[in-house]
Amino acid sequence: MLDFIKATARGHEVVPTYNVIQDQFDRALDLWLTQQDPIFPIDKWVAFEREIDDWEGYYRIDVGGYYGDVEKIRAAKIESISGLVETFDNWRNGSETVDEQIDLELASAARGYLNAYYTFVERLAAGDYDVLLSGPINAQYVERLIRHRALGETVDERVQSAIRFLHSSHFAAMPAQSISARIYAALREQVRRGAYANKEKAIDRLSGFFFDVNHISVYAPYFDAMIVDRSMHELLRTDTVDLTGRWGTRLFSASNLEELEAWLTEIEDAIPSEQIEALPVAYPRLKLK
């Protein structure tokens, strides 16, 4: 799979998640400060390092990479998913509506950002200046908010304004927050209806869940389409998430490969004839059908 991705991506990369989230913070804050409706604008190029539609003479030299301690990463994934699965019993007995659960997830996210910032400040006050380089990225989002002069004259005023922003509909409209909260709310509804009753199977089926939620919630609105596994596909198509309806991102998995093939054919058929005629000139070694 990695070799396929390298060959087809042609050197294009998405920007790191923290850069995309920071852009979302900046846009949401601007809407909040100017009292505009929390209708989140999407600039697709925010997520890419460079223009992806240019003609180019790309080639690559493959160099093996270091991916960390694989066993340690695998163990950490299992431990984190095990913790999630342990909460399923409480979810089954919960009485919150879907909307209430989404609000709870958003409130938890806001609390997480604030707690990270408070920890950052405490460490800095104690003389731990390493936190400036190694502190959690979530603290940096809040620290940037609090440096924004439009939030108030004093630090205390800006902190209070930041707290109000983090509990606003504008913060909730950020894709990274909205999509993530809705995915967890949809998963909770599946659990309440009897899904994932077997804990061992649940851990195996949800092994990459946190990574998937992170990448989908951050990047999905910037992509025309995403390919996911069956379980995530089912979640993203629920009315609670409705990724395609809300953000226009097409979804494909092993359950609808025919739709993927049809979509790719549609794209291919839409290529202008003059562009096809120019391909041999731009890429002499390219073999066309």
Side-chain angles (χ1 to χ4, degrees):
M1 177 63 77
L2 187 58
D3 288 340
F4 169 78
I5 292 172
K6 288 180 180 179
T8 55
R10 300 189 66 80
H12 293 290
E13 295 181 291
V14 292
V15 301
T17 57
Y18 51 82
N19 284 350
V20 179
I21 294 175
Q22 185 61 72
D23 182 82
Q24 293 181 13
F25 262 100
D26 292 344
R27 291 171 187 258
L29 181 63
D30 183 63
L31 291 174
W32 185 70
L33 288 171
T34 55
Q35 298 183 347
Q36 298 182 59
D37 291 336
I39 301 174
F40 204 88
I42 288 295
D43 177 359
K44 288 186 178 292
W45 302 116
V46 166
F48 297 96
E49 293 282 2
R50 57 188 173 89
E51 172 66 56
I52 63 174
D53 294 330
D54 287 344
W55 297 83
E56 36 82 1
Y58 172 76
Y59 69 93
R60 68 187 173 95
I61 299 174
D62 203 359
V63 178
Y66 173 68
Y67 302 103
D69 187 329
V70 176
E71 291 303 322
K72 185 176 181 180
I73 294 173
R74 182 179 292 115
K77 286 173 63 177
I78 294 174
E79 182 178 356
S80 60
I81 291 299
S82 296
L84 173 65
V85 172
E86 287 300 323
T87 68
F88 285 179
D89 289 338
N90 291 333
W91 284 5
R92 291 188 182 92
N93 298 322
S95 58
E96 297 86 359
T97 66
V98 172
D99 288 340
E100 288 172 340
Q101 184 62 30
I102 292 173
D103 288 341
L104 287 172
E105 294 291 343
L106 291 168
S108 176
R111 187 164 56 251
Y113 285 112
L114 289 170
N115 287 341
Y117 174 71
Y118 294 147
T119 300
F120 169 83
V121 172
E122 289 172 357
R123 288 178 59 184
L124 195 60
D128 181 6
Y129 297 110
D130 287 343
V131 72
L132 294 172
L133 298 175
S134 62
I137 190 66
N138 283 358
Q140 296 181 34
Y141 300 132
V142 181
E143 197 270 339
R144 179 173 168 130
L145 281 176
I146 292 170
R147 285 191 281 109
H148 203 300
R149 290 294 181 180
L151 294 184
E153 291 295 327
T154 67
V155 172
D156 185 63
E157 288 175 346
R158 294 197 291 273
V159 169
Q160 294 306 313
S161 294
I163 292 173
R164 289 195 297 273
F165 167 73
L166 289 170
H167 290 89
S168 71
S169 57
H170 295 77
F171 171 77
M174 290 170 53
Q177 314 306 327
S178 175
I179 296 173
S180 175
R182 291 177 176 278
I183 290 175
Y184 281 105
L187 176 63
R188 174 180 172 276
E189 285 303 297
Q190 286 186 343
V191 170
R192 289 184 64 184
R193 292 196 298 268
Y196 301 107
N198 185 302
K199 290 187 178 181
E200 290 185 1
K201 290 183 178 180
I203 291 172
D204 181 63
R205 190 177 177 189
L206 297 170
S207 60
F209 185 77
F210 290 121
F211 292 93
D212 290 346
V213 172
N214 181 56
H215 283 80
I216 291 167
S217 61
V218 172
Y219 294 116
Y222 304 93
F223 284 73
D224 294 325
M226 295 192 89
I227 300 175
V228 296
D229 61 29
R230 291 176 186 265
S231 299
M232 184 57 70
H233 193 185
E234 184 179 348
L235 280 171
L236 298 180
R237 294 177 66 180
T238 60
D239 291 339
T240 301
V241 184
D242 190 16
L243 190 67
T244 301
R246 286 187 169 87
W247 300 103
T249 308
R250 295 173 181 259
L251 295 171
F252 302 105
S253 70
S255 63
N256 67 336
L257 292 178
E258 300 82 6
E259 293 179 27
L260 172 60
E261 184 176 358
W263 180 63
L264 294 175
T265 300
E266 180 183 326
I267 294 175
E268 186 176 0
D269 292 343
I271 300 174
S273 58
E274 56 269 22
Q275 184 172 337
I276 295 178
E277 292 169 1
L279 282 173
V281 178
Y283 306 107
R285 296 181 180 181
L286 181 66
K287 294 182 180 181
L288 299 175
K289 294 180 181 179

